[in-house]
Amino acid sequence: MKKAISLLLAMSLLLACFVGVICIAEYTTTTETDETADSDLPKIRYYYKDSDGALALTDDSETFDANMASTDSVDVIFELEYPEVDSSGRESLTLESTHEEVNAVKAAYHAKVKDANTAANKAFIEENGISVDSDDYTVYASIYSPFVQISFESYVDYTDYFSDIIAIAECDEVSAIDITIPVEYGDDSATRVSSSSASKYQISDAISDINASSTTSNGKGVTVGIIEAGGVTTSSENDDLNNLTIYASSSVISDHATAVARILCGTNGVAPGVDEVYVYYAKSTSYLVSGMDWLTDNECDVINSSRSTLGLEGQYHWTSAVLDYYVGLLFVTYVNSAGNTGVNEEYEHYTSNYGMGYNVIAVAATDSLGNISTYSSYGTQSGIYTRKPTVSAPGTKITISGTNLGSGTSYAAPMVAGVVAKLMCETPSLKLYPEIVMAALIASATPVTGQSNSWDIYAGAGIIDYEKAREAVANCSTYTFNTDYTGLRATKTASVSTGTRVKVVAFWLTNSMTQSSSDTVVLNNFTNYYINLTTTGGTILSYGSTAFNIEYINYSNSSYSTLKVKLYQSGEKANSYTDYVAVTWVTE
């Protein structure tokens, strides 16, 4: 090897923390070393900034090298085969479980995941003879996920260790490697095109429009996490945050983060009963995994991120996959803004990369007239089987106590996170059931202006409705599938009224992680389930059968008081891991 590797294992989140990155497709890696001729090596993906400053992707190290300056920082991420942890404890929970009962189950499960991943990551470092005290780089080993990241301050340092990185790639525990330039975050708060005919949107009116004015459930007992480019502060202008105990990972303050918190859980916000908020300062993509570790360690129940990066919009790449891991394996609910590039002519109009996670709730923005705001991002690039945005919420010209916060999907996302907090307050078991949260929000959404009774490319399922979401939670059934079986998986009965519209949703968490040391993370790595709505005699009235992990039926019922919802599996199970499925329905 050119140089003996020396790595500093920085397990403390108070030290420098960096992001874990995931490969998502099969391809051949090109390097200048003989080692890469071995087809058994994990695949390597390279992320760099192109001539426009946007994040670009290649599988060719020479292309990566040609676009790097000597002073550019480089993150190298080893994705390891992760240990499975028994999650059956959450199945003991019911809709009647208390906060204390749910919190105990959640803490015990998270402790098992933490112990398993911490031990596995540490063993990987020790077994490969990785020493400490390097002056050339630092390392962050995740405590909750299978990522170990080496961060180089300069591209020159990275090249000195490239052959060592390739040597470590031969380890059986390494499933994939991502080599990336860190990318700064951008706020999703700048309005591209205003809704000129819409007036200022008073937050009280916005909360009323999403049917969330009820004070019966206000978010009490729910811990909120926020990932931002700075912390939250209280002042004479925003004393509506004095109800909160705010914990921050940094002393850096952000007006954007403060506005998000005011909407989500300030005294004038959607969930004013929330007691504790944890705000993680993430100035670039290098801080995503450390941020998720920190928020998970502090037992946050719902996490809001109103962030995006320039480049790869509409694509499923490493940041999307990281978030899917935490939602799918740690059962935290994650809400992200859809982005504000909806008016662009080229690819940039697509949904933000964070929002592209299969398990992530991506939120579009509406104005006071119920229109989708023209800046709101939408859609995915071809070949990615996920419906984005997921739902919509007020986000244009939001005004609190006479102060116009501005416009953006940044402000729509905390509306949704606030509704999630209210739902969790009333039904604490939702803290460990993100699949129910997702299914309930989709089934209960109402059409935006001009939306037909179908999924809309700009609005998703429509505008969130808290009261209807409560109904969807009560009607929800969950299923855990560990074995393969093609055909009918489950049947549930829906008691309905004639002359109503019946909306049925099935959603299942997607596991985008590797299945073995010979596989990379693969796109669309989920089992294909579908739903039928039938009469009690079995006549099919409507069906949802797409390539997505969301199935959606909107049926006008003129004749029946009882219907059947049938869940099927089509084809083989996608992987060996457990599938977590939620099915629900509402009438309107």
Side-chain angles (χ1 to χ4, degrees):
M1 295 192 298
K2 287 183 181 177
K3 230 174 175 182
I5 275 196
S6 168
L7 304 179
L8 172 62
L9 176 59
M11 297 305 296
S12 171
L13 289 169
L14 298 177
L15 300 178
C17 298
F18 302 95
V19 67
V21 178
I22 301 178
C23 296
I24 55 176
E26 297 277 348
Y27 55 88
T28 301
T29 300
T30 304
T31 70
E32 299 176 353
T33 63
D34 292 337
E35 288 94 331
T36 54
D38 185 350
S39 60
D40 291 332
L41 283 178
K43 308 303 188 292
I44 303 178
R45 292 170 70 94
Y46 300 85
Y47 297 84
Y48 63 93
K49 284 189 178 180
D50 63 17
S51 58
D52 295 325
L55 192 64
L57 172 64
T58 182
D59 59 5
D60 181 5
S61 64
E62 292 182 359
T63 300
F64 177 77
D65 294 342
N67 284 274
M68 296 296 290
S70 60
T71 56
D72 285 338
S73 299
V74 179
D75 292 339
V76 179
I77 299 91
F78 295 95
E79 179 200 330
L80 310 180
E81 190 173 358
Y82 72 92
E84 286 195 79
V85 178
D86 180 14
S87 62
S88 59
R90 74 173 193 151
E91 296 174 12
S92 65
L93 301 174
T94 68
L95 295 181
E96 289 72 40
S97 295
T98 66
H99 282 287
E100 291 75 18
E101 291 169 337
V102 173
N103 292 346
V105 171
K106 182 180 179 184
Y109 173 65
H110 282 183
K112 289 191 294 184
V113 176
K114 182 177 182 179
D115 288 345
N117 280 283
T118 299
N121 291 347
K122 183 178 180 181
F124 166 75
I125 291 173
E126 293 178 346
E127 289 169 6
N128 288 283
I130 299 172
S131 58
V132 297
D133 301 326
S134 172
D135 294 327
D136 296 330
Y137 53 80
T138 55
V139 64
Y140 179 73
S142 174
I143 57 176
Y144 282 103
S145 58
F147 307 120
V148 174
Q149 176 173 325
I150 308 168
S151 184
F152 296 92
E153 289 190 6
S154 74
Y155 169 73
V156 172
D157 288 337
Y158 154 77
T159 58
D160 285 343
Y161 287 90
F162 182 72
S163 62
D164 298 316
I165 293 166
I166 296 300
I168 294 178
E170 296 180 0
C171 299
D172 290 340
E173 299 92 339
V174 178
S175 300
I177 300 175
D178 286 75
I179 300 175
T180 178
I181 187 170
V183 180
E184 296 291 321
Y185 289 116
D187 289 338
D188 281 342
S189 59
T191 303
R192 269 60 170 180
V193 176
S194 299
S195 299
S196 56
S197 59
S199 59
K200 290 181 179 179
Y201 211 164
Q202 301 293 335
I203 193 166
S204 57
D205 294 333
I207 293 172
S208 176
D209 286 346
I210 60 175
N211 239 342
S213 300
S214 171
T215 58
T216 302
S217 177
N218 59 9
K220 188 172 182 59
V222 178
T223 302
V224 168
I226 296 175
I227 292 183
E228 275 284 349
V232 174
T233 184
T234 58
S235 66
S236 57
E237 290 78 21
N238 58 317
D239 58 3
D240 52 333
L241 293 178
N242 289 332
N243 60 312
L244 299 172
T245 300
I246 302 172
Y247 301 92
S249 67
S250 167
S251 59
V252 176
I253 298 300
S254 164
D255 291 339
H256 186 260
T258 300
V260 166
R262 295 179 73 184
I263 294 169
L264 200 166
C265 52
T267 55
N268 297 311
V270 180
V274 168
D275 298 315
E276 295 183 335
V277 176
Y278 288 83
V279 185
Y280 190 83
Y281 171 48
K283 62 182 180 181
S284 75
T285 52
S286 293
Y287 295 82
L288 177 58
V289 163
S290 61
M292 292 302 295
D293 274 357
W294 189 75
L295 296 171
T296 302
D297 219 32
N298 285 295
E299 296 297 347
C300 292
D301 303 307
V302 55
I303 297 173
N304 183 91
S305 174
S306 294
R307 316 295 296 155
S308 66
T309 59
L310 177 63
L312 297 184
E313 287 89 349
Q315 293 190 28
Y316 186 91
H317 72 124
W318 56 267
T319 55
S320 321
V322 164
L323 296 177
D324 276 344
Y325 173 85
Y326 281 86
V327 178
L329 276 299
L330 287 154
F331 305 124
V332 61
T333 296
Y334 197 97
V335 180
N336 205 90
S337 51
N340 295 337
T341 56
V343 297
N344 287 5
E345 296 295 331
E346 302 299 330
Y347 71 91
E348 290 89 352
H349 72 73
Y350 293 118
T351 306
S352 64
N353 50 300
Y354 274 26
M356 284 294 296
Y358 297 101
N359 301 333
V360 173
I361 303 166
V363 187
T366 59
D367 62 23
S368 60
L369 301 176
N371 303 308
I372 283 289
S373 302
T374 50
Y375 58 78
S376 189
S377 300
Y378 60 94
T380 71
Q381 297 196 33
S382 61
I384 303 172
Y385 302 144
T386 180
R387 289 172 144 167
K388 299 295 175 176
T390 316
V391 291
S392 308
T396 296
K397 299 181 181 178
I398 301 298
T399 303
I400 299 179
S401 301
T403 300
N404 184 4
L405 299 181
S407 301
T409 56
S410 276
Y411 300 147
M415 293 276 181
V416 176
V419 163
V420 172
K422 288 171 72 75
L423 292 171
M424 289 178 173
C425 173
E426 183 175 19
T427 309
S429 58
L430 296 183
K431 295 177 180 182
L432 274 173
Y433 277 90
E435 65 268 40
I436 296 180
V437 173
M438 178 76 88
L441 289 176
I442 293 171
S444 58
T446 60
V448 303
T449 302
Q451 182 177 359
S452 63
N453 295 313
S454 62
W455 196 277
D456 187 89
I457 187 174
Y458 304 112
I463 302 174
I464 56 170
D465 185 315
Y466 165 66
E467 291 295 343
K468 274 292 176 184
R470 296 176 65 226
E471 177 185 338
V473 168
N475 290 338
C476 196
S477 297
T478 59
Y479 308 96
T480 355
F481 299 134
N482 297 296
T483 57
D484 201 13
Y485 179 82
T486 300
L488 181 63
R489 279 293 205 170
T491 300
K492 66 182 277 117
T493 301
S495 298
V496 297
S497 300
T498 58
T500 60
R501 186 163 290 280
V502 182
K503 292 196 292 184
V504 185
V505 170
F507 170 80
W508 53 104
L509 295 173
T510 298
N511 182 354
S512 297
M513 303 303 296
T514 56
Q515 301 177 52
S516 72
S517 58
S518 62
D519 295 324
T520 60
V521 173
V522 292
L523 196 60
N524 308 319
N525 184 28
F526 51 87
T527 307
N528 186 13
Y529 296 101
Y530 67 94
I531 49 175
N532 285 345
L533 184 65
T534 76
T535 64
T536 53
T539 301
I540 298 176
L541 302 173
S542 186
Y543 63 90
S545 181
T546 68
F548 306 115
N549 66 320
I550 299 171
E551 294 296 350
Y552 179 85
I553 290 175
N554 195 322
Y555 174 72
S556 179
N557 175 42
S558 58
S559 307
Y560 304 100
S561 58
T562 305
L563 297 172
K564 295 285 187 181
V565 179
K566 296 183 177 181
L567 174 71
Y568 293 84
Q569 178 182 320
S570 176
E572 295 181 352
K573 199 168 176 294
N575 53 56
S576 61
Y577 298 120
T578 302
D579 286 341
Y580 301 103
V581 187
V583 178
T584 192
W585 57 273
V586 298
T587 59
E588 56 184 27

